[in-house]
């Protein structure tokens, strides 16, 4: 039975009103944004955004997988049950003062806005700029979302515990023994035939680096 997933990629947010950042009481460079989403009782959250430069200095970006949210389901039927239970996926955007390395808390964070996605329409996929509702309206967020079949998660068996040999400063000697070599013609080619005419005959050795 094929597994399914609902994936949301947050790429950018623009047109944040200057007065919203002023209310935070800190520089824009010291503010990072995150996006939360909840589906079928499971919450996901992006990483922290970074600010653009130059002409796009007022735009927040999520690089690579830092803007990804994903929910996985064992089957399409499980996805349908989740759609029926939670037809709207609500994305909640919030800002945190102090930079990406500061843990968000009610005292250092503020709501930016929300956006609702209809999960039942995501099989067609969507990629669009959408306006947020809330404190930072009319800020816009670039969202790409889709519901699709996905490869099942393969659980690898736990590896046996490693055994430590020596200490960090211990020197080890690696010994490699070569018993025999055959069918060297494929490896050496015509050089092997020419060697029969040399005097003294050349010798060959095995080198490992």
């Amino acid at each position: 039975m094929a597994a399914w997933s609902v994936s949301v990629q947050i790429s950018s947010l623009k047109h944040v009103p200057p007065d919203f950042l002023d209310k935070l009481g800190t520089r824009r460079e010291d503010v990072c944004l995150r996006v939360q989403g909840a589906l079928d009782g499971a919450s996901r959250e992006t990483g922290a955004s970074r600010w653009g430069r130059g002409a796009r200095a007022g735009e927040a970006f999520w690089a690579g997988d830092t803007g990804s949210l994903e929910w996985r389901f064992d089957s399409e039927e499980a996805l349908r049950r989740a759609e029926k239970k939670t037809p709207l996926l609500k994305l909640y955007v919030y800002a945190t003062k102090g930079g990406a390395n500061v843990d968000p808390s009610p005292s250092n964070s503020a709501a930016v806005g929300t956006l609702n996605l209809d999960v039942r329409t995501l099989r067609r996929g969507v990629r669009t700029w959408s306006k947020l509702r809330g404190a930072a309206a009319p800020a816009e967020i670039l969202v790409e979302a889709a519901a699709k079949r996905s490869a099942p998660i393969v659980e690898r068996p736990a590896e046996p515990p490693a055994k430590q040999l020596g200490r960090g400063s211990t020197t080890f000697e690696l010994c490699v023994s070569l018993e025999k070599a055959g069918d060297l013609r494929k490896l050496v080619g015509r050089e092997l035939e020419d060697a029969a005419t040399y005097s003294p005959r050349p010798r060959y050795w095995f080198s490992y680096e």
Side-chain angles (χ1 to χ4, degrees), residues 1-9 39 68-80 83 119-126 144-152:
M1 188 175 296
W4 280 70
S5 67
V6 172
S7 60
V8 178
Q9 178 67 40
L39 179 62
S68 296
L69 305 172
E70 185 181 48
W71 292 263
R72 298 180 66 92
F73 301 89
D74 295 335
S75 64
E76 186 175 10
E77 180 60 30
L79 173 59
R80 291 186 185 278
E83 291 173 341
V119 183
R120 297 164 295 184
T121 66
L122 295 185
R123 285 175 176 77
R124 298 192 300 269
V126 61
E144 183 173 2
K148 57 187 178 181
R149 290 185 178 88
S150 60

Side-chain angles (χ1 to χ4, degrees), residues 8-28:
V8 178
Q9 178 67 40
I10 309 297
S11 300
S12 180
L13 188 145
K14 63 182 181 180
H15 303 326
V16 178
D19 61 340
F20 173 80
L21 295 174
D22 293 341
K23 291 177 182 178
L24 294 177
T26 187
R27 300 182 309 162
R28 179 183 60 206

Side-chain angles (χ1 to χ4, degrees), residues 28-29 51-59 61:
R28 179 183 60 206
E29 291 75 15
W51 294 99
R53 297 181 179 180
R56 306 181 74 178
E59 193 169 339
F61 294 90

Side-chain angles (χ1 to χ4, degrees), residues 50-125:
R50 59 180 179 83
W51 294 99
R53 297 181 179 180
R56 306 181 74 178
E59 193 169 339
F61 294 90
W62 283 264
D65 293 337
T66 60
S68 296
L69 305 172
E70 185 181 48
W71 292 263
R72 298 180 66 92
F73 301 89
D74 295 335
S75 64
E76 186 175 10
E77 180 60 30
L79 173 59
R80 291 186 185 278
R81 290 195 298 268
E83 291 173 341
K84 185 175 181 180
K85 180 180 178 181
T86 314
L88 293 181
L89 170 56
K90 185 175 184 179
L91 300 179
Y92 169 70
V93 187
Y94 70 96
T96 300
K97 298 185 294 184
N101 296 325
V102 174
D103 292 332
S105 69
S107 61
N108 64 13
S109 300
V112 176
T114 61
L115 173 67
N116 291 333
L117 296 177
D118 190 337
V119 183
R120 297 164 295 184
T121 66
L122 295 185
R123 285 175 176 77
R124 298 192 300 269

